[in-house]
Amino acid sequence: VVGLGRDSGRFSAVVKGARKGKTRLAGLLEPPVELEGSLRPGRNLDGLSQLQLRRAFAGLRQNLDGLLAAGFLSRLFTEALPERSPSEGAFELFGNLLERLTARSNVAVTALWGQDRLLLELGIPPQIEICLGCGSDQVRGYSPRDGGMLCASCYCGSGFAVPAGVLDGLRNLRGLEADDPLPTMNPATVREIGRIYKQQFQQHLGLPDRVFRPVLPKRPS
Ligand SMILES: [Zn+2]
């Protein structure tokens, strides 16, 4: 299995006995799920044992949009976070996102907010307040190469224009706390903001395009 641990960070480990048909263990490993367990270093592979269920996010399984977003976020977190580098912030964030998706609140905006928060956790958020070139607060475009917003005179040639509504959306998302309700956004704004976060991840971490497609949470294999 691949997972995200509060104390361990991203890990891969073997769970002995998990493939033996319809056992309690196989059921426990149906993602997404929060487990308590013991991670022990092994000769070749680490072992995960003494598993107990903490949160099942049961409602998520009846909600295809939410499940696809959970799959996307799971893959993004596991590809973006470095292995064996504990981040309590990333762990809490991931749990918060699954709770929000389970509550079916605003799936697309939840996925966007999660990406902005993950970029913050990784220390590579897009700069959205001032022009990275000259410091002007009149920002008009985004440049992946520069990793943020630029004003009209600085962005020519190096990025793309960002409409005022999209900039408002980016600032709204940045200002939200973990317990705040998420704003509603029209599909065009969601698409444009998603494009900016994707370029930001790709610029800094080189993640491939496939990471940014909706996908069902992966069963252990
Ligand atoms: Zn400028």
Side-chain angles (χ1 to χ4, degrees):
V1 296
V2 173
L4 188 60
R6 184 189 295 276
D7 303 323
S8 62
R10 175 168 70 86
F11 65 87
S12 3
V14 168
V15 182
K16 284 199 177 126
R19 280 190 178 178
K20 285 178 191 148
K22 289 184 190 301
T23 60
R24 170 190 159 275
L25 204 49
L28 271 185
L29 292 171
E30 195 73 33
V33 77
E34 184 183 340
L35 303 169
E36 175 127 21
S38 164
L39 191 60
R40 291 226 175 76
R43 231 175 320 164
N44 301 310
L45 284 159
D46 293 351
L48 187 61
S49 60
Q50 295 170 286
L51 293 176
Q52 297 290 337
L53 182 67
R54 292 199 57 173
R55 279 191 283 185
F57 308 104
L60 198 45
R61 284 176 237 288
Q62 283 83 54
N63 167 12
L64 184 60
D65 282 346
L67 208 51
L68 289 168
F72 156 66
L73 288 168
S74 305
R75 188 156 64 181
L76 180 63
F77 272 65
T78 48
E79 299 259 352
L81 289 165
E83 191 144 4
R84 291 314 183 98
S85 175
S87 164
E88 181 140 9
F91 181 85
E92 291 290 340
L93 171 63
F94 194 56
N96 181 307
L97 290 167
L98 292 176
E99 292 283 0
R100 285 180 185 271
L101 293 174
T102 303
R104 301 180 191 221
S105 61
N106 221 337
V107 167
V109 179
T110 300
L112 289 182
W113 179 73
Q115 289 176 79
D116 193 49
R117 274 300 180 283
L118 179 58
L119 287 165
L120 280 165
E121 282 294 333
L122 292 163
I124 50 171
Q127 158 67 256
I128 54 176
E129 292 306 327
I130 54 166
C131 170
L132 285 168
C134 68
S136 160
D137 60 1
Q138 300 295 305
V139 295
R140 296 278 184 275
Y142 170 80
S143 159
R145 200 182 59 204
D146 296 293
M149 296 296 172
L150 295 171
C151 73
S153 39
C154 292
Y155 99 87
C156 54
S158 81
F160 50 85
V162 175
V166 173
L167 188 59
D168 287 346
L170 285 164
R171 288 176 172 162
N172 262 341
L173 290 168
R174 183 63 56 82
L176 291 173
E177 300 296 334
D179 299 327
D180 289 342
L182 297 175
T184 51
M185 288 183 187
N186 67 52
T189 302
V190 168
R191 210 162 40 242
E192 281 299 301
I193 293 178
R195 183 180 169 207
I196 289 171
Y197 293 154
K198 177 182 172 188
Q199 302 240 14
Q200 191 75 9
F201 277 110
Q202 295 195 308
Q203 173 69 23
H204 288 275
L205 304 175
L207 299 184
D209 283 343
R210 66 172 172 78
V211 173
F212 295 87
R213 295 184 196 128
V215 65
L216 289 172
K218 201 175 169 218
R219 301 167 76 133
S221 56

Short mmCIF file of all heavy atoms in Angstrom, two decimals, residues 177-209:
data_model
loop_
_atom_site.label_atom_id
_atom_site.label_comp_id
_atom_site.label_asym_id
_atom_site.label_seq_id
_atom_site.Cartn_x
_atom_site.Cartn_y
_atom_site.Cartn_z
N GLU A 177 -9.77 29.61 5.81
CA GLU A 177 -9.25 28.77 6.88
C GLU A 177 -9.84 27.37 6.75
O GLU A 177 -10.80 27.15 6.02
CB GLU A 177 -9.63 29.35 8.25
CG GLU A 177 -9.11 30.75 8.51
CD GLU A 177 -7.58 30.84 8.56
OE1 GLU A 177 -6.96 29.80 8.89
OE2 GLU A 177 -7.04 31.90 8.24
N ALA A 178 -9.26 26.42 7.51
CA ALA A 178 -9.65 25.01 7.39
C ALA A 178 -11.14 24.77 7.63
O ALA A 178 -11.72 23.85 7.06
CB ALA A 178 -8.81 24.16 8.34
N ASP A 179 -11.79 25.58 8.47
CA ASP A 179 -13.20 25.33 8.79
C ASP A 179 -14.16 26.21 7.99
O ASP A 179 -15.38 26.11 8.15
CB ASP A 179 -13.45 25.58 10.29
CG ASP A 179 -12.62 24.65 11.15
OD1 ASP A 179 -12.38 23.51 10.71
OD2 ASP A 179 -12.19 25.07 12.24
N ASP A 180 -13.64 27.09 7.16
CA ASP A 180 -14.52 27.99 6.40
C ASP A 180 -15.28 27.24 5.32
O ASP A 180 -14.75 26.32 4.71
CB ASP A 180 -13.68 29.09 5.72
CG ASP A 180 -13.13 30.10 6.71
OD1 ASP A 180 -13.65 30.16 7.83
OD2 ASP A 180 -12.19 30.83 6.35
N PRO A 181 -16.54 27.67 5.05
CA PRO A 181 -17.23 27.12 3.89
C PRO A 181 -16.57 27.62 2.61
O PRO A 181 -15.96 28.70 2.60
CB PRO A 181 -18.65 27.67 4.03
CG PRO A 181 -18.55 28.85 4.92
CD PRO A 181 -17.35 28.65 5.79
N LEU A 182 -16.66 26.82 1.55
CA LEU A 182 -16.01 27.20 0.30
C LEU A 182 -16.96 28.04 -0.57
O LEU A 182 -18.17 27.81 -0.55
CB LEU A 182 -15.58 25.95 -0.45
CG LEU A 182 -14.54 25.09 0.27
CD1 LEU A 182 -14.28 23.80 -0.51
CD2 LEU A 182 -13.24 25.85 0.46
N PRO A 183 -16.42 28.98 -1.32
CA PRO A 183 -17.27 29.80 -2.19
C PRO A 183 -17.74 28.99 -3.40
O PRO A 183 -17.15 27.95 -3.71
CB PRO A 183 -16.31 30.91 -2.66
CG PRO A 183 -14.96 30.29 -2.60
CD PRO A 183 -14.99 29.30 -1.47
N THR A 184 -18.82 29.42 -4.05
CA THR A 184 -19.19 28.79 -5.31
C THR A 184 -18.48 29.53 -6.43
O THR A 184 -18.18 30.71 -6.32
CB THR A 184 -20.72 28.86 -5.55
OG1 THR A 184 -21.14 30.21 -5.37
CG2 THR A 184 -21.46 27.96 -4.61
N MET A 185 -18.16 28.81 -7.49
CA MET A 185 -17.46 29.41 -8.63
C MET A 185 -18.03 28.85 -9.90
O MET A 185 -18.44 27.69 -9.95
CB MET A 185 -15.97 29.03 -8.58
CG MET A 185 -15.20 29.73 -7.50
SD MET A 185 -13.46 29.27 -7.59
CE MET A 185 -12.88 30.06 -6.10
N ASN A 186 -18.06 29.67 -10.96
CA ASN A 186 -18.57 29.14 -12.23
C ASN A 186 -17.51 28.22 -12.87
O ASN A 186 -16.32 28.32 -12.56
CB ASN A 186 -19.04 30.27 -13.16
CG ASN A 186 -17.88 31.13 -13.63
OD1 ASN A 186 -16.89 30.61 -14.14
ND2 ASN A 186 -17.99 32.43 -13.45
N PRO A 187 -17.98 27.31 -13.75
CA PRO A 187 -17.06 26.30 -14.31
C PRO A 187 -15.85 26.91 -15.02
O PRO A 187 -14.75 26.35 -14.95
CB PRO A 187 -17.95 25.53 -15.30
CG PRO A 187 -19.33 25.72 -14.79
CD PRO A 187 -19.37 27.09 -14.17
N ALA A 188 -16.03 28.06 -15.69
CA ALA A 188 -14.89 28.67 -16.42
C ALA A 188 -13.81 29.11 -15.43
O ALA A 188 -12.61 28.93 -15.67
CB ALA A 188 -15.37 29.85 -17.25
N THR A 189 -14.24 29.69 -14.31
CA THR A 189 -13.28 30.13 -13.29
C THR A 189 -12.56 28.93 -12.68
O THR A 189 -11.35 28.95 -12.48
CB THR A 189 -14.00 30.95 -12.19
OG1 THR A 189 -14.66 32.06 -12.81
CG2 THR A 189 -13.03 31.46 -11.14
N VAL A 190 -13.32 27.87 -12.38
CA VAL A 190 -12.73 26.64 -11.84
C VAL A 190 -11.65 26.12 -12.79
O VAL A 190 -10.55 25.76 -12.37
CB VAL A 190 -13.82 25.55 -11.61
CG1 VAL A 190 -13.18 24.19 -11.34
CG2 VAL A 190 -14.73 25.95 -10.45
N ARG A 191 -11.97 26.11 -14.08
CA ARG A 191 -11.03 25.61 -15.09
C ARG A 191 -9.74 26.45 -15.11
O ARG A 191 -8.63 25.92 -15.13
CB ARG A 191 -11.71 25.63 -16.46
CG ARG A 191 -11.22 24.56 -17.40
CD ARG A 191 -12.18 24.29 -18.56
NE ARG A 191 -12.79 25.50 -19.10
CZ ARG A 191 -14.11 25.75 -19.10
NH1 ARG A 191 -14.94 24.89 -18.57
NH2 ARG A 191 -14.59 26.85 -19.62
N GLU A 192 -9.90 27.78 -15.11
CA GLU A 192 -8.74 28.67 -15.20
C GLU A 192 -7.85 28.56 -13.95
O GLU A 192 -6.63 28.57 -14.03
CB GLU A 192 -9.20 30.12 -15.37
CG GLU A 192 -9.62 30.46 -16.78
CD GLU A 192 -8.47 30.27 -17.78
OE1 GLU A 192 -7.43 30.93 -17.62
OE2 GLU A 192 -8.62 29.44 -18.69
N ILE A 193 -8.49 28.49 -12.78
CA ILE A 193 -7.71 28.37 -11.54
C ILE A 193 -6.98 27.02 -11.51
O ILE A 193 -5.80 26.94 -11.14
CB ILE A 193 -8.61 28.57 -10.30
CG1 ILE A 193 -9.12 30.01 -10.25
CG2 ILE A 193 -7.85 28.23 -9.01
CD1 ILE A 193 -10.05 30.32 -9.09
N GLY A 194 -7.68 25.97 -11.95
CA GLY A 194 -7.06 24.64 -12.02
C GLY A 194 -5.84 24.65 -12.93
O GLY A 194 -4.82 24.01 -12.64
N ARG A 195 -5.94 25.40 -14.04
CA ARG A 195 -4.83 25.49 -15.00
C ARG A 195 -3.60 26.14 -14.34
O ARG A 195 -2.46 25.71 -14.53
CB ARG A 195 -5.33 26.33 -16.17
CG ARG A 195 -4.37 26.50 -17.31
CD ARG A 195 -5.06 27.36 -18.37
NE ARG A 195 -4.13 27.80 -19.39
CZ ARG A 195 -4.29 28.91 -20.11
NH1 ARG A 195 -5.35 29.68 -19.90
NH2 ARG A 195 -3.42 29.25 -21.03
N ILE A 196 -3.85 27.17 -13.53
CA ILE A 196 -2.74 27.87 -12.86
C ILE A 196 -2.07 26.95 -11.83
O ILE A 196 -0.84 26.84 -11.79
CB ILE A 196 -3.26 29.17 -12.20
CG1 ILE A 196 -3.58 30.19 -13.31
CG2 ILE A 196 -2.24 29.74 -11.20
CD1 ILE A 196 -4.29 31.44 -12.82
N TYR A 197 -2.87 26.24 -11.01
CA TYR A 197 -2.28 25.34 -10.00
C TYR A 197 -1.50 24.22 -10.68
O TYR A 197 -0.41 23.84 -10.25
CB TYR A 197 -3.35 24.74 -9.10
CG TYR A 197 -4.05 25.74 -8.19
CD1 TYR A 197 -5.34 25.50 -7.73
CD2 TYR A 197 -3.40 26.91 -7.78
CE1 TYR A 197 -5.98 26.39 -6.89
CE2 TYR A 197 -4.05 27.81 -6.95
CZ TYR A 197 -5.34 27.55 -6.51
OH TYR A 197 -5.97 28.43 -5.68
N LYS A 198 -2.07 23.68 -11.76
CA LYS A 198 -1.40 22.60 -12.48
C LYS A 198 -0.04 23.07 -12.99
O LYS A 198 0.98 22.37 -12.83
CB LYS A 198 -2.28 22.14 -13.65
CG LYS A 198 -1.64 21.08 -14.52
CD LYS A 198 -2.55 20.71 -15.69
CE LYS A 198 -1.81 19.79 -16.66
NZ LYS A 198 -2.57 19.56 -17.89
N GLN A 199 0.00 24.26 -13.58
CA GLN A 199 1.28 24.77 -14.11
C GLN A 199 2.28 25.00 -12.98
O GLN A 199 3.48 24.80 -13.12
CB GLN A 199 1.03 26.10 -14.83
CG GLN A 199 0.05 25.93 -15.96
CD GLN A 199 0.64 26.29 -17.31
OE1 GLN A 199 1.85 26.41 -17.46
NE2 GLN A 199 -0.22 26.47 -18.29
N GLN A 200 1.74 25.42 -11.82
CA GLN A 200 2.61 25.67 -10.67
C GLN A 200 3.25 24.36 -10.19
O GLN A 200 4.45 24.29 -9.95
CB GLN A 200 1.76 26.32 -9.55
CG GLN A 200 2.57 26.88 -8.41
CD GLN A 200 3.28 28.19 -8.74
OE1 GLN A 200 3.06 28.79 -9.79
NE2 GLN A 200 4.14 28.64 -7.85
N PHE A 201 2.43 23.30 -10.06
CA PHE A 201 2.97 21.98 -9.68
C PHE A 201 3.98 21.50 -10.72
O PHE A 201 5.02 20.96 -10.38
CB PHE A 201 1.84 20.94 -9.59
CG PHE A 201 1.09 20.95 -8.28
CD1 PHE A 201 -0.22 21.40 -8.21
CD2 PHE A 201 1.69 20.50 -7.11
CE1 PHE A 201 -0.92 21.41 -7.01
CE2 PHE A 201 1.00 20.50 -5.90
CZ PHE A 201 -0.31 20.96 -5.86
N GLN A 202 3.63 21.67 -11.99
CA GLN A 202 4.50 21.15 -13.04
C GLN A 202 5.81 21.91 -13.12
O GLN A 202 6.87 21.32 -13.32
CB GLN A 202 3.75 21.15 -14.38
CG GLN A 202 2.57 20.20 -14.35
CD GLN A 202 2.01 19.89 -15.73
OE1 GLN A 202 1.71 20.80 -16.50
NE2 GLN A 202 1.86 18.62 -16.03
N GLN A 203 5.74 23.22 -12.95
CA GLN A 203 6.94 24.04 -13.01
C GLN A 203 7.94 23.65 -11.90
O GLN A 203 9.13 23.53 -12.12
CB GLN A 203 6.55 25.52 -12.87
CG GLN A 203 7.73 26.49 -12.75
CD GLN A 203 8.53 26.58 -14.06
OE1 GLN A 203 8.02 26.29 -15.13
NE2 GLN A 203 9.79 26.96 -13.95
N HIS A 204 7.40 23.45 -10.69
CA HIS A 204 8.29 23.19 -9.55
C HIS A 204 8.64 21.72 -9.36
O HIS A 204 9.71 21.39 -8.88
CB HIS A 204 7.67 23.74 -8.26
CG HIS A 204 7.69 25.23 -8.19
ND1 HIS A 204 8.78 25.94 -7.73
CD2 HIS A 204 6.77 26.15 -8.56
CE1 HIS A 204 8.52 27.24 -7.81
NE2 HIS A 204 7.31 27.38 -8.31
N LEU A 205 7.68 20.82 -9.66
CA LEU A 205 7.90 19.41 -9.34
C LEU A 205 7.95 18.51 -10.57
O LEU A 205 8.21 17.31 -10.46
CB LEU A 205 6.80 18.90 -8.40
CG LEU A 205 6.61 19.68 -7.09
CD1 LEU A 205 5.42 19.14 -6.33
CD2 LEU A 205 7.86 19.61 -6.23
N GLY A 206 7.67 19.09 -11.75
CA GLY A 206 7.72 18.30 -12.97
C GLY A 206 6.69 17.18 -13.03
O GLY A 206 6.93 16.15 -13.65
N LEU A 207 5.53 17.35 -12.37
CA LEU A 207 4.52 16.28 -12.38
C LEU A 207 3.93 16.12 -13.78
O LEU A 207 3.65 17.10 -14.46
CB LEU A 207 3.39 16.60 -11.38
CG LEU A 207 3.79 16.76 -9.92
CD1 LEU A 207 2.55 16.97 -9.06
CD2 LEU A 207 4.55 15.54 -9.43
N PRO A 208 3.72 14.87 -14.23
CA PRO A 208 3.16 14.64 -15.56
C PRO A 208 1.66 15.00 -15.64
O PRO A 208 0.97 15.04 -14.61
CB PRO A 208 3.36 13.14 -15.78
CG PRO A 208 3.47 12.56 -14.42
CD PRO A 208 4.04 13.61 -13.53
N ASP A 209 1.16 15.21 -16.87
CA ASP A 209 -0.25 15.59 -17.07
C ASP A 209 -1.23 14.59 -16.46
O ASP A 209 -2.29 14.97 -15.98
CB ASP A 209 -0.54 15.69 -18.57
CG ASP A 209 0.00 16.99 -19.16
OD1 ASP A 209 0.31 17.92 -18.38
OD2 ASP A 209 0.13 17.06 -20.40
#
